[in-house]
Amino acid sequence: MLVGDEPMLIDMETISTGQPIFDLQALYVTYISFSEDCPDNLSSFLGISDDLGEPIWNSILEKYFDTADKAELSAINDKIRLMSAIRFLYLLAVTDLKNGDLGERRIKRTQDHISELLKKVNGFEI
């Protein structure tokens, strides 16, 4: 981004090198997690229809990992989903997003995701 004539880096709070799961889980939270209990989240946040979240996410996975193998993508997706659920709970805990009925639904759903995924995921290496 340019500010005047000077380049400025933005959105640097989660920048990292190494495991791609850290960047991918943030995308998952954006395209999937926020919309699970809040219809129209993608349209209000990104200006796209909510029904595009999952196809965009699936396309990101296929392109990033250069495969259409459903079993391979499912295993990768489970790891990303588990990491994203942990991050989503953190976001809920440190913001006002935890408040109210929506916050309670999001916390419960995310806890359910973690319980389900812990049975399937043995590590985060992708």
Side-chain angles (χ1 to χ4, degrees), residues 44-63:
S44 64
F45 185 63
L46 296 177
I48 63 173
S49 171
D50 278 356
D51 62 340
L52 293 177
E54 192 169 335
I56 289 171
W57 173 247
N58 291 333
S59 179
I60 289 169
L61 284 183
E62 287 179 16
K63 302 269 189 261

